[in-house]
Amino acid sequence: MNATNSSGVITSCEHVSLSIVAFNAYVMIGPVVLGALVNACLFGCLIVQTYVYYANFANDHRAIKFTVAAVFASQIAHVICVSSSLWNVAVSAYDDPLRLQVFPWGADATILFTAITGVLVESSFAFRLWKLSKSLSLPLLSLALCLVAKLASLLIAVKAFMMTNLATFAHDQNMLITLSLTSRVVCELILTMAIAWYLRKQRGTTSVIDRLVLWTIETGLITSLIAVLVMSFFLAMKQNYIWVGLYAILASVNANSLLAS
């Protein structure tokens, strides 16, 4: 009886010891800290852009104003969740690295608000594409991809709240996460390239059109690049938080791209 207990204690201690030895703050805490700091800066940019928008485009359609307000509200919740995740990772788990084996609730909620921001921004770009092209094919295709990505994100968020182990979660949800990110990247690229193409065809005031094309390509490609990096690091390094730090800024980059373009 005592031998069995002793063996169990030793095994448990060895497991904890191995987990602590394997822990690396540079790839677990570092990415979350950097992601939260960059996200805070991007949120500051969004505040300025939102103020400038309402100050200069007071006569815009009510639906556009509502979309901008909804994106801003979603980003307020997003920055709160990311900041909460930073506190949990850098402070609450400071003396217990094993707590990093499960996402904090703020990180789980971040997935939800990233999806909400994404659907608002991408549907706005799809509407813009429809107005430019006078065709429904590409806008509907992009909306279908957007819907797939967001439904997958919502399922991931639900499963994240029930997570008991990060490694198990990443393994079990590998296909769902990949589907969400891939659909998002393809959607962003279709919208970016199509809007740029139709803007180039409208050669009214050349300098203005060229500037709009440049802004559209820059903002769309930056969002796509972040999503590709998240997917790449997730597939290659599920066991650390590098992909989590990149994911933390995805929604903020997306929100800023709407107002920048």
Side-chain angles (χ1 to χ4, degrees):
M1 184 74 177
N2 291 336
T4 303
N5 288 341
S6 299
S7 176
V9 170
I10 292 172
T11 302
S12 176
C13 289
E14 286 177 348
H15 173 71
V16 173
S17 177
L18 287 172
S19 299
I20 293 174
V21 169
F23 173 74
N24 185 348
Y26 288 101
V27 295
M28 294 298 289
I29 298 177
V32 178
V33 173
L34 289 175
L37 291 175
V38 173
N39 185 66
C41 294
L42 290 171
F43 182 67
C45 294
L46 184 67
I47 292 174
V48 174
Q49 288 201 88
T50 303
Y51 173 80
V52 170
Y53 169 77
Y54 281 110
N56 292 281
F57 299 96
N59 296 324
D60 267 2
H61 194 278
R62 188 175 299 174
I64 299 176
K65 291 181 178 179
F66 173 79
T67 301
V68 173
V71 169
F72 185 71
S74 176
Q75 283 304 106
I76 291 175
H78 179 268
V79 77
I80 291 172
C81 291
V82 172
S83 300
S84 171
S85 301
L86 173 61
W87 178 268
N88 277 276
V89 169
V91 179
S92 298
Y94 178 77
D95 60 345
D96 186 11
L98 293 177
R99 294 181 61 176
L100 297 177
Q101 292 182 0
V102 179
F103 274 168
W105 70 265
D108 301 334
T110 297
I111 301 172
L112 174 63
F113 290 110
T114 298
I116 292 172
T117 299
V119 74
L120 289 168
V121 172
E122 286 158 15
S123 60
S124 298
F125 281 128
F127 176 75
R128 188 178 301 179
L129 176 58
W130 172 70
K131 295 290 286 185
L132 286 169
S133 65
K134 307 300 180 185
S135 171
L136 285 174
S137 55
L138 286 177
L140 287 179
L141 175 60
S142 60
L143 284 175
L145 289 168
C146 174
L147 184 62
V148 169
K150 300 331 163 200
L151 287 177
S153 295
L154 290 177
L155 287 174
I156 293 167
V158 171
K159 292 177 182 295
F161 277 108
M162 300 184 293
M163 181 198 309
T164 56
N165 181 274
L166 176 60
T168 303
F169 171 80
H171 179 269
D172 292 345
Q173 309 309 320
N174 179 77
M175 185 176 296
L176 201 58
I177 295 172
T178 304
L179 173 64
S180 174
L181 292 171
T182 303
S183 301
R184 180 170 194 144
V185 170
V186 176
C187 176
E188 293 281 355
L189 289 176
I190 289 174
L191 289 171
T192 301
M193 295 299 106
I195 290 174
W197 168 260
Y198 284 108
L199 281 173
R200 290 290 294 180
K201 289 178 68 176
Q202 298 183 7
R203 302 289 297 188
T205 306
T206 305
S207 61
V208 174
I209 296 297
D210 287 344
R211 193 177 304 168
L212 286 173
V213 170
L214 182 61
W215 283 345
T216 300
I217 292 175
E218 286 178 346
T219 54
L221 290 183
I222 289 172
T223 306
S224 301
L225 177 61
I226 297 297
V228 168
L229 287 173
V230 172
M231 184 167 59
S232 300
F233 279 105
F234 170 75
L235 293 174
M237 305 177 183
K238 292 184 181 69
Q239 71 278 10
N240 61 47
Y241 275 14
I242 294 177
W243 65 276
V244 176
L246 286 167
Y247 189 82
I249 68 173
L250 182 59
S252 297
V253 171
N254 209 10
N256 276 281
S257 71
L258 175 66
L259 290 171
S261 60

